[in-house]
Amino acid sequence: MSDAQKPIYGGQAVMEGVMFGGKRSLVTAIRRKDQTIEYFHSKRKSSPFLTKLKKIPFLRGIAAIIEASANGTMHLNFSSERYDLDPSEDATLAEKKESRLSLVLGVATLGVLSFLFGKVLFTLIPVFLAQLTRPIFSSDLSQILIEGLFKLILLLVYIYVISQTPLIKRVFQYHGAEHKVINAYENQLPLTVENVQKSSRLHYRCGSSFILFTVIVGVFVYMLVPLDPLWLRIVDRLLLIPVVLGIAFEVLQLTNKVRDIPVLRFLGYPGLWLQLLTTKEPSDDQVEVAIASFNELLRIESEDIQTEDKIV
């Protein structure tokens, strides 16, 4: 199979595990307290409206973010409920009154809302901080640059602080394991622990890169709208969130497409540098979980294709 035909896979780290997503399915593998590996499967869900949006440049990024937030939060919820629970206590989970359907819908909606709430805070706090420097940096250009600087500092400080907690450090290790598996797969290496560990923990398509690109893109987009008065600046920033997200997504896709071109691969370097904070070198047993998750996804996707072929 050529690189052009090869499916594109992505994923995310969860509590004590890794989620991988393909065209049709998503799979999470986690390490339980008794050292066994447990899986959680789900079909990739997307509304007809989002499916249409994903075909439109600059809008497809918004659709992809909403879908990823909804699907990813479901799997993160699974891992957070079970990773620290002894398998003998699994029966307690089954006693929950809430139906699975309402649980899935509730968690998915919570994931999308949490992302939007975080994005609003991340957008507005730098605005107020920059406004405080008006007496020193009075020009519009300097204000936009200062705002972008505050946003970058806020991002880096936040990531650094949470990375110091043991729990998040392990999540970042699984994040590194996820990237290593994808890199090994894309380089057509057998997915053994040894091969995966030799692969890079950085990847051009990472969501961490996307977050950084929103900061960079925002600086240029904000140059097109007025800064005064303050209320208008706030309204502009809120209304431009979808625009910034949409453009940043296209930039992310572009850097991934040109990563093998020597003159252009540097375009993705800022995102890779941020990943030095958001990923950590994983242990062999963490890599084993990531490989198990990815292989399970490949198995399920293969079965889906065979089923479709029989139906046809």
Side-chain angles (χ1 to χ4, degrees), residues 114-298:
S114 297
F115 172 83
L116 293 176
F117 179 72
K119 182 57 184 172
V120 168
L121 286 181
F122 183 70
T123 299
L124 293 187
I125 290 176
V127 170
F128 292 111
L129 292 177
Q131 186 68 21
L132 294 176
T133 69
R134 267 292 192 184
I136 303 174
F137 303 100
S138 57
S139 71
D140 286 354
L141 178 59
S142 62
Q143 274 292 294
I144 292 171
L145 293 176
I146 288 296
E147 182 182 333
L149 179 61
F150 276 130
K151 190 175 292 186
L152 179 61
I153 292 173
L154 183 65
L155 174 64
L156 296 177
V157 170
Y158 172 74
I159 292 175
Y160 176 76
V161 170
I162 65 171
S163 70
Q164 299 307 299
T165 65
L167 181 62
I168 299 302
K169 182 178 180 180
R170 287 192 64 81
V171 171
F172 284 0
Q173 285 179 300
Y174 277 107
H175 190 191
E178 175 228 323
H179 284 182
K180 282 175 175 281
V181 168
I182 293 294
N183 281 321
Y185 172 78
E186 292 180 344
N187 290 322
Q188 300 181 351
L189 297 174
L191 294 183
T192 64
V193 172
E194 182 179 6
N195 285 338
V196 170
Q197 284 286 36
K198 290 178 181 178
S199 300
S200 173
R201 77 175 201 260
L202 311 179
H203 197 285
Y204 275 80
R205 288 199 309 273
C206 178
S208 302
S209 297
F210 171 74
I211 293 173
L212 183 62
F213 287 141
T214 64
V215 176
I216 299 173
V217 167
V219 169
F220 292 98
V221 171
Y222 298 155
M223 291 181 182
L224 304 177
V225 295
L227 272 68
D228 292 313
L230 178 59
W231 70 265
L232 181 58
R233 184 176 182 178
I234 293 172
V235 171
D236 284 340
R237 296 301 185 265
L238 293 176
L239 293 178
L240 287 172
I241 286 178
V243 176
V244 172
L245 292 176
I247 297 175
F249 183 83
E250 299 301 325
V251 173
L252 179 68
Q253 298 301 308
L254 175 64
T255 59
N256 184 60
K257 290 179 180 178
V258 302
R259 63 179 176 171
D260 294 324
I261 302 176
V263 181
L264 298 177
R265 67 174 57 177
F266 73 90
L267 293 174
Y269 284 3
L272 297 180
W273 293 334
L274 182 61
Q275 290 175 45
L276 294 175
L277 286 178
T278 62
T279 65
K280 303 292 182 185
E281 286 293 334
S283 62
D284 286 352
D285 65 319
Q286 290 172 321
V287 167
E288 182 184 23
V289 174
I291 293 174
S293 178
F294 191 72
N295 283 336
E296 180 70 1
L297 175 65
L298 293 181

Side-chain angles (χ1 to χ4, degrees), residues 20-21 37 244:
F20 282 109
I37 295 177
V244 172

Side-chain angles (χ1 to χ4, degrees), residues 48-110:
F49 177 68
L50 289 180
T51 301
K52 292 179 180 178
L53 283 186
K54 286 167 69 175
K55 299 177 181 179
I56 305 174
F58 299 104
L59 294 181
R60 58 188 177 185
I62 308 299
I65 292 167
I66 294 174
E67 184 180 280
S69 297
N71 289 319
T73 304
M74 289 162 45
H75 285 251
L76 183 60
N77 183 67
F78 160 78
S79 67
S80 62
E81 280 187 345
R82 304 183 76 85
Y83 85 96
D84 199 33
L85 187 68
D86 190 279
S88 63
E89 302 175 86
D90 284 355
T92 60
L93 292 176
E95 295 173 1
K96 290 187 174 181
K97 304 295 183 182
E98 194 171 21
S99 72
R100 181 171 180 78
L101 177 60
S102 62
L103 175 63
V104 167
L105 291 176
V107 171
T109 303
L110 179 62

